[in-house]
Amino acid sequence: MTGIVFPFPIEPGIDLFEQMRHRTADEFYYFCQENADYKFERDATGNILPLGQTGGETGIHNSELTTDLTIWNRTACLGLAFDSSTGFNLPNGATRSPDVAWVSHDQWNRISPDERKKFPPLCPDFVVELLSESDTLKGTTDKMREYMDNGCRLAWMIDPKTEEVRIYRADGSVSVVHGFDNSLSGEDVLPGFAFNLQLLR
């Protein structure tokens, strides 16, 4: 990957991305800001993970999900909705950018104004990961487990190809919805929220 900018001194002879493994959350945030043409996540061991740009169909699907969540949230006023550009510093040290995320006011009010401007140091209460052409089932499943292990209360992994949804809950249960003729419920995390899966066809 060419044109990457490192906003701090680098040591010659040592792999640049290897040096990033030992940088703080703030340094990783500024690294991402200096390289705004790219999108990165970072796993719990510090490995930088470049993310591909979204294709047209995936972008439309992400927009449908984010729009419906935002409309519900404006009425419910229980938290804040975030798009796929937002990074979150999870408790295990990873920085992740779910396709859709929601954070309760209770969580948001516990972090400082400065922390809100960067990658918020928290795990969202609700996340959605929508499998795109570049995603693998194993990689996304591992990511869903990571969200739940770090405090997420409800998560949806949606596969438009197979029209299958895996629903992860805080009690450790996972259920599967087959077919996009169904609707998904926000359950007790997003009371009153429902998403019509037909919008993703």
Side-chain angles (χ1 to χ4, degrees):
M1 191 178 291
T2 60
I4 297 294
V5 176
F6 288 80
F8 38 73
I10 57 175
E11 299 180 41
I14 301 177
D15 180 77
L16 296 177
F17 284 103
E18 178 64 24
Q19 293 185 49
M20 280 299 302
R21 289 167 58 91
H22 310 290
R23 297 292 172 174
T24 66
D26 275 355
E27 287 174 319
F28 180 63
Y29 170 79
Y30 290 119
F31 167 78
C32 291
Q33 305 316 298
E34 289 292 327
N35 297 282
D37 289 341
Y38 303 101
K39 185 176 177 182
F40 302 98
E41 287 185 330
R42 191 164 69 155
D43 68 19
T45 65
N47 291 314
I48 293 179
L49 309 170
L51 301 180
Q53 289 188 325
T54 299
E57 288 186 351
T58 301
I60 292 169
H61 296 159
N62 282 345
S63 179
E64 294 287 359
L65 285 156
T66 305
T67 297
D68 274 19
L69 179 63
T70 300
I71 290 171
W72 166 84
N73 193 59
R74 285 176 179 170
T75 301
C77 298
L78 297 176
L80 299 160
F82 299 83
D83 70 7
S84 61
S85 297
T86 310
F88 294 91
N89 287 329
L90 306 186
N92 70 345
T95 301
R96 298 296 186 184
S97 298
D99 290 322
V100 180
W102 182 86
V103 175
S104 65
H105 284 312
D106 182 56
Q107 273 219 87
W108 189 251
N109 291 336
R110 283 189 233 139
I111 64 176
S112 70
D114 186 57
E115 289 172 324
R116 295 173 190 176
K117 294 175 185 175
K118 300 174 184 175
F119 298 145
L122 56 83
C123 183
D125 297 85
F126 169 70
V127 301
V128 180
E129 289 288 357
L130 185 70
L131 272 72
S132 65
E133 295 295 327
S134 60
D135 292 324
T136 65
L137 181 59
K138 181 185 184 308
T140 308
T141 299
D142 289 345
K143 193 181 290 188
M144 303 307 284
R145 288 294 183 190
E146 182 178 55
Y147 289 134
M148 304 314 295
D149 289 345
N150 278 269
C152 183
R153 297 159 57 202
L154 179 67
W156 299 344
M157 184 175 76
I158 303 175
D159 188 345
K161 270 188 181 177
T162 61
E163 293 200 357
E164 181 178 282
V165 182
R166 296 187 188 184
I167 302 171
Y168 296 78
R169 301 180 180 88
D171 64 4
S173 66
V174 180
S175 60
V176 181
V177 174
H178 298 283
F180 279 5
D181 291 323
N182 298 286
S183 290
L184 301 179
S185 167
E187 304 181 5
D188 59 344
V189 178
L190 309 171
F193 177 60
F195 181 76
N196 182 358
L197 287 166
Q198 291 186 42
L199 294 170
L200 303 184
R201 278 185 167 150

